[in-house]
Amino acid sequence: MQDSAKGQLSEAELQDLVASSDSGARTPAGPIGLFMALVAVAWSVFQVVLASPVSNYILPGSLINNSRQVHLAFAMFLAFLAYPALKSSPRDRIPYQDWAFAVIGAFLAMYGYFFYNKIVASGGLADNTDKWFALAGLVLLFEAARRTLGPAMAIIASIFLLYVFFGSSPVVPEVIRWKGASLQKAMSHMWITSEGVFGIALGVSTKFVFLFVLFGALLDKAGAGNYFIKMAFGALGHLRGGPAKAAVVGSAATGLISGSSIANVVTTGTFTIPLMKRVGFTREQAGAVEVASSVNGQIMPPVMGAAAFLMVEYVGVSYVEVIKAAFLPATISYIALVYIVHLEAVKRNMPTLGNRATSMAKTIGGMMAFFVGFAVLCYGVQFPVRWISSMVPEGAGWILALLVMLAYVALLYLASRGPDLMPDDPNAEQIELPVVAEIYKSGLYYLLPIIVLVYFLMIEQKSPGLSAFWAASLLFVMLLTQKPLKAIFRGESEIANEFVLGVVDLLQGMIDGARNMIGIGLATATAGVIVGTVTLTGVGQVMADLVEFLSGGNLIAMLVLVGILSLILGMGLPTTANYIVVSSLMAGVIVTLGAQSGLIVPLIAVHLFVFYFGIMADVTPPVGLASFAAAAVSGGDAIKTGFVAFFYSLRTIMLPFMFIFNTDLLLIDVGWAQGTLVFVVAAIGILVFTAGTMGYFLTRNTIIESVLLVAIAFCLFRPDFIMNRITPPYHMVPPAQMETAIGEATAGSEMRIVVSGPDFMSGTEKSTTLVLPVAGDGTGPERLDDLGLIVLAEDGLTKLDEPMFGTPYADVMSGFDFYGDDPVVVTEVKAPAAQLPKDLVFIPALLLLMGIVWLQRGRAARQEEALA
């Protein structure tokens, strides 16, 4: 029942809020509920077996080849059973029409499996019968997406589908008009082939995402969520603004468990938000802190949101590369959020909780020691593993499994020496802060599955699916054995009952994992329609021209437009779907326009840019779902909560613009020493930026100090911007001397050339920038030949012939028309120039920062004397 005085929701209402958005609000009792649970378990079992190393021996090849169809069939079947059609639809029973939709939807999802031979015989295309089944499948898919994700996803996908059919209509703007497609061709593309619904996105959901969602659900069921929150609260709760700092760190840890920002808000917020209000945060501020920290859980490696796995396929890099690129921005983003709540607490002179006194330096040192120790442990595991593998190559797997189990039993014995951790009551009159030294032993064994996951991902560099399989397998064992083993270690007699409880926990974790995947599975499938439209119609190129026109060719303006597009779409789309849509339309555009502007933007940087703005949509008013969830917990105003959370998240908006122009922040081609320097400087930079935007550093800032702090932060994040204006990194060379210049360049350096010529499709003039790595000791012509570039000096121009297929620049140059009347020519050549290290910019920036520190310390001391 809602508390009308405070506007807060009860625990049951909060759980219903999470369920209605994440796993479906309908949970009928009796045989029907049991049947739904069995279907969910069956889906989890299928996905676990599919990801296992023995899948080829257990599952028939036809089922493995059509696993995407099976994945979508489970998602559609459960969607119609678990999600009511309307708010007025019954929650305690399933209407007959929903049963019909569920069965028909699952059948249509499996259509390609059932009629595989027929489709192959027709060349993989739809015939007159197939097209009607495919159309019915799309209609039911859109209805399932509407129920689980809200109307926006279905509406946007429908608009794209209508564009496929009626793209030649006069009502369609001429700039995006196309010839249109027949029903048969469109349905073949969208439903029968792997270009549409059953494309890359659904494949990633099938292969990778399910196992990670299941891993999180099992880890939560094992009790890790409560352990992480208690550890964060014990470490930080005694500080000024401690509950807010604990919320930030706890949400970062809970991001390992929940890929849903809404579930993260409710899970940690029900405990932290009331405590934040007790120490002086307003309802909106308390909710906003929880929203900002929970939403960022999706960008925190090693377990990121589903979009991270899509990056692996779209960008063509390993998951390790995605984690490496995402690590620094995510880490400094959380550092900034902790600092934001610290500044809020200091500005308001908030009280502390409990009677424990520990210095901030000691607390930070202890936390850093833990994280460094954990990282060293994850990295160091490889050395004994390699030694065992070399000593016993045949039986190494069994020996390592035995050692993991021995470590688990030892840590579980350690945990059994103390009481199990119970959730605290945030509304209790007397708050007892957990003592980290006393409770840390209770959950050390929760770190084992995470270590296994990180080891297989980062050290062995196995596929994400296989890595998550081994980590989830360990959790299966833990859930089945942790309670009975604790009972044995404590000398209790209820061993059989404890084992039964463990079985129940395991089954419930598998059910939760499957139901949490319904929305993700349908989001990736429905987004496939949008991706299919782009590939079928070529609208992506038209969108590129449109965005280039609107931005006037200015890269920053275009990035702003892309960010706004992500925020607008994110008002109705989940993060994963938002990322698929915007990256499909815009990622290539940013790279192309960047090259035209002379900026080489790595594709991973562009995809992370889109991803960051996609998660911001959960915050942004008026439709930020996480903000509404936080307001339901805090009793505050949802819109105000969203605006405060948006303000707190300014650093999340700023970071993508920084790493687009300074890829060192993504640790691309950065060594350990340089990476360490980048991390330290970036951490200082984000703290300074936070102080500048919050109007408070050591004391309240003057306007000039705030402006200077933001300027210092810019210099720390973009030292190249300053240094390039002092000493340019390149000098211009006449195009006719390009061969000579590249011959004289030092091996290991880079040259840049600007190429102009007619576009292959439109015939209009366009240009792009190529980065030419200088390698070897050959002459200029030999180095160009190694790169596959054929240079012709004719008519006073430096012309380029079409690069041979398979050479480094064949794909980049494929958009030029090399056979038209106008030639493709080199218009600019930029040879590397001697430039001072850009890191020198840090020195004056840090000196200016020290000057502000000196001024503010003196002012703060005078203020204290005046108060005394």
Side-chain angles (χ1 to χ4, degrees):
M1 186 172 186
Q2 188 162 335
D3 184 338
S4 58
K6 297 182 180 179
Q8 293 174 256
L9 300 185
S10 67
E11 178 64 25
E13 289 171 318
L14 287 171
Q15 293 307 320
D16 182 65
L17 173 67
V18 175
S20 61
S21 60
D22 284 343
S23 60
R26 196 152 54 193
T27 52
I32 300 301
L34 178 62
F35 173 73
M36 288 176 62
L38 290 175
V39 173
V41 170
W43 190 10
S44 291
V45 170
F46 168 74
Q47 296 287 166
V48 170
V49 173
L50 182 67
S52 72
V54 295
S55 59
N56 290 326
Y57 304 101
I58 298 176
L59 299 176
S62 59
L63 206 60
I64 294 175
N65 293 335
N66 292 279
S67 58
R68 298 179 188 183
Q69 283 87 342
V70 179
H71 184 80
L72 182 58
F74 272 115
M76 289 183 70
F77 186 82
L78 286 173
F80 285 112
L81 298 188
Y83 288 84
L86 304 167
K87 289 184 178 179
S88 58
S89 299
R91 302 288 183 96
D92 57 345
R93 62 183 178 84
I94 301 173
Y96 293 118
Q97 67 270 21
D98 282 357
W99 280 108
F101 289 152
V103 172
I104 296 171
F107 168 77
L108 293 173
M110 295 281 287
Y111 186 83
Y113 172 72
F114 293 135
F115 299 98
Y116 179 77
N117 292 330
K118 173 171 131 10
I119 292 171
V120 170
S122 62
L125 302 175
D127 58 23
N128 285 324
T129 303
D130 297 335
K131 69 182 182 184
W132 296 110
F133 281 99
L135 181 61
L138 279 178
V139 171
L140 286 179
L141 172 63
F142 289 176
E143 168 57 14
R146 182 195 67 80
R147 294 187 183 200
T148 55
L149 308 169
M153 186 76 209
I155 291 171
I156 292 172
S158 299
I159 291 172
F160 273 81
L161 194 61
L162 289 173
Y163 173 69
V164 169
F165 294 133
F166 305 108
S168 59
S169 170
V171 301
V172 176
E174 187 174 354
V175 68
I176 60 170
R177 198 174 296 167
W178 86 297
K179 63 182 181 179
S182 66
L183 179 64
Q184 185 170 336
K185 181 178 180 181
M187 292 302 100
S188 178
H189 192 82
M190 296 297 179
W191 197 264
I192 303 301
T193 70
S194 59
E195 295 293 327
V197 170
F198 299 100
I200 289 175
L202 187 63
V204 170
S205 179
T206 305
K207 288 192 299 181
F208 303 148
V209 179
F210 192 105
L211 266 293
F212 278 84
V213 171
L214 179 62
F215 171 80
L218 294 173
L219 194 58
D220 184 42
K221 213 64 196 170
N226 182 47
Y227 174 71
F228 291 151
I229 293 171
K230 275 186 170 290
M231 285 289 288
F233 191 55
L236 299 166
H238 62 282
L239 301 174
R240 185 169 290 181
K245 293 169 182 171
V248 174
V249 176
S251 293
T254 310
L256 284 171
I257 297 173
S258 173
S260 164
S261 55
I262 298 169
N264 202 335
V265 164
V266 172
T267 301
T268 57
T270 48
F271 176 68
T272 58
I273 288 176
L275 291 175
M276 282 190 264
K277 289 160 61 178
R278 284 179 71 157
V279 298
F281 285 91
T282 66
R283 294 173 182 175
E284 286 75 21
Q285 286 177 324
V289 169
E290 188 57 57
V291 169
S293 51
S294 295
V295 165
N296 274 22
Q298 296 180 74
I299 63 174
M300 196 66 191
V303 183
M304 298 166 65
F309 303 105
L310 289 162
M311 281 184 216
V312 173
E313 299 294 327
Y314 288 158
V315 182
V317 298
S318 68
Y319 188 63
V320 174
E321 290 298 312
V322 174
I323 290 175
K324 179 183 173 184
F327 172 75
L328 181 55
T331 303
I332 63 176
S333 182
Y334 267 106
I335 290 172
L337 191 52
V338 171
Y339 191 49
I340 284 172
V341 298
H342 172 72
L343 292 179
E344 287 283 14
V346 172
K347 281 197 294 184
R348 295 168 176 267
N349 197 26
M350 292 180 181
T352 57
L353 289 177
N355 53 10
R356 186 150 29 104
T358 306
S359 68
M360 172 75 85
K362 185 176 179 181
T363 300
I364 293 175
M367 292 185 65
M368 288 184 64
F370 170 78
F371 286 116
V372 170
F374 182 69
V376 169
L377 179 62
C378 291
Y379 181 77
V381 164
Q382 62 180 308
F383 299 108
V385 168
R386 287 175 182 172
W387 182 77
I388 293 171
S389 299
S390 62
M391 293 295 292
V392 193
E394 297 297 326
W398 293 105
I399 295 173
L400 293 172
L402 179 62
L403 290 175
V404 170
M405 294 312 300
L406 288 174
Y408 162 62
V409 172
L411 292 174
L412 193 64
Y413 175 79
L414 192 64
S416 70
R417 296 300 86 193
D420 292 334
L421 299 179
M422 302 302 293
D424 293 317
D425 179 9
N427 298 309
E429 289 187 15
Q430 188 68 31
I431 297 296
E432 291 293 334
L433 296 177
V435 180
V436 173
E438 296 175 2
I439 67 169
Y440 80 96
K441 303 173 185 176
S442 302
L444 283 177
Y445 65 96
Y446 294 134
L447 300 179
L448 274 177
I450 301 172
I451 292 172
V452 169
L453 178 66
V454 172
Y455 171 77
F456 278 104
L457 273 176
M458 305 294 290
I459 307 301
E460 291 287 336
Q461 297 199 9
K462 301 294 186 184
S463 73
L466 185 61
S467 302
F469 166 79
W470 289 117
S473 298
L474 177 56
L475 279 168
F476 287 164
V477 175
M478 287 173 57
L479 282 164
L480 289 173
T481 61
Q482 65 171 344
K483 290 183 177 178
L485 283 177
K486 279 184 179 180
I488 293 173
F489 293 147
R490 290 168 177 165
E492 298 170 355
S493 58
E494 300 293 322
I495 299 173
N497 289 339
E498 295 294 333
F499 178 75
V500 171
L501 290 175
V503 172
V504 171
D505 284 343
L506 174 60
L507 293 175
Q508 190 59 55
M510 296 174 77
I511 293 167
D512 291 345
R515 292 189 63 148
N516 289 339
M517 269 303 299
I518 297 171
I520 297 175
L522 293 173
T524 52
T526 311
V529 173
I530 298 165
V531 176
T533 301
V534 173
T535 58
L536 180 63
T537 67
V539 72
Q541 182 59 46
V542 177
M543 291 292 292
D545 296 338
L546 181 61
V547 170
E548 185 176 354
F549 170 75
L550 291 175
S551 64
N554 183 281
L555 182 60
I556 294 179
M558 192 197 65
L559 290 172
V560 172
L561 285 174
V562 172
I564 292 172
L565 175 64
S566 295
L567 292 176
I568 293 172
L569 288 177
M571 290 180 180
L573 301 185
T575 301
T576 303
N578 188 0
Y579 164 75
I580 295 171
V581 173
V582 180
S583 63
S584 299
L585 293 173
M586 294 291 118
V589 184
I590 297 174
V591 173
T592 301
L593 189 56
Q596 291 176 8
S597 304
L599 179 70
I600 306 302
V601 184
L603 194 56
I604 183 69
V606 178
H607 280 262
L608 281 172
F609 180 93
V610 174
F611 183 34
Y612 266 63
F613 274 92
I615 67 168
M616 281 302 300
D618 277 351
V619 177
T620 312
V623 202
L625 296 180
S627 299
F628 278 85
V633 178
S634 69
D637 181 270
I639 301 298
K640 289 182 180 177
T641 300
F643 277 113
V644 177
F646 183 79
F647 175 71
Y648 286 167
S649 300
L650 279 176
R651 81 264 180 248
T652 307
I653 295 175
M654 180 270 295
L655 281 172
F657 287 97
M658 292 297 105
F659 63 59
I660 282 284
F661 292 96
N662 180 11
T663 55
D664 285 356
L665 294 172
L666 301 181
L667 303 180
I668 295 175
D669 298 327
V670 170
W672 279 102
Q674 180 68 12
T676 303
L677 177 64
V678 170
F679 177 82
V680 172
V681 171
I684 296 172
I686 201 69
L687 294 175
V688 171
F689 176 80
T690 302
T693 53
M694 292 290 290
Y696 198 100
F697 189 24
L698 303 180
T699 185
R700 291 192 183 277
N701 302 338
T702 64
I703 294 177
I704 294 176
E705 286 173 344
S706 290
V707 172
L708 287 175
L709 287 170
V710 172
I712 291 168
F714 178 79
C715 293
L716 296 178
F717 279 116
R718 289 290 317 277
D720 57 308
F721 181 86
I722 308 297
M723 186 55 72
N724 289 350
R725 278 146 185 80
I726 299 172
T727 56
Y730 299 98
H731 67 268
M732 302 300 293
V733 174
Q737 299 177 18
M738 184 174 74
E739 289 185 343
T740 304
I742 196 170
E744 294 175 351
T746 305
S749 62
E750 291 179 345
M751 285 187 60
R752 296 191 175 204
I753 63 172
V754 178
V755 180
S756 299
D759 182 78
F760 184 79
M761 299 296 293
S762 64
T764 58
E765 189 77 8
K766 71 172 187 177
S767 63
T768 191
T769 300
L770 302 182
V771 177
L772 309 183
V774 180
D777 298 322
T779 63
E782 290 172 343
R783 285 174 166 175
L784 287 172
D785 188 57
D786 290 341
L787 296 172
L789 296 177
I790 303 172
V791 180
L792 305 172
E794 295 179 352
D795 305 323
L797 300 173
T798 303
K799 300 179 182 179
L800 282 182
D801 205 350
E802 183 176 17
M804 296 294 291
F805 178 77
T807 56
Y809 298 97
D811 290 339
V812 179
M813 301 293 290
S814 62
F816 286 94
D817 183 2
F818 288 90
Y819 304 100
D821 294 334
D822 296 323
V824 178
V825 298
V826 178
T827 57
E828 292 182 13
V829 176
K830 301 176 182 179
Q835 185 186 41
L836 294 171
K838 64 182 179 181
D839 299 343
L840 291 176
V841 174
F842 298 152
I843 297 174
L846 293 174
L847 287 174
L848 180 57
L849 178 61
M850 291 170 63
I852 295 175
V853 168
W854 178 75
L855 286 173
Q856 291 210 354
R857 274 188 173 173
R859 194 160 69 246
R862 289 193 296 271
Q863 289 169 353
E864 289 181 6
E865 289 174 4
L867 290 173

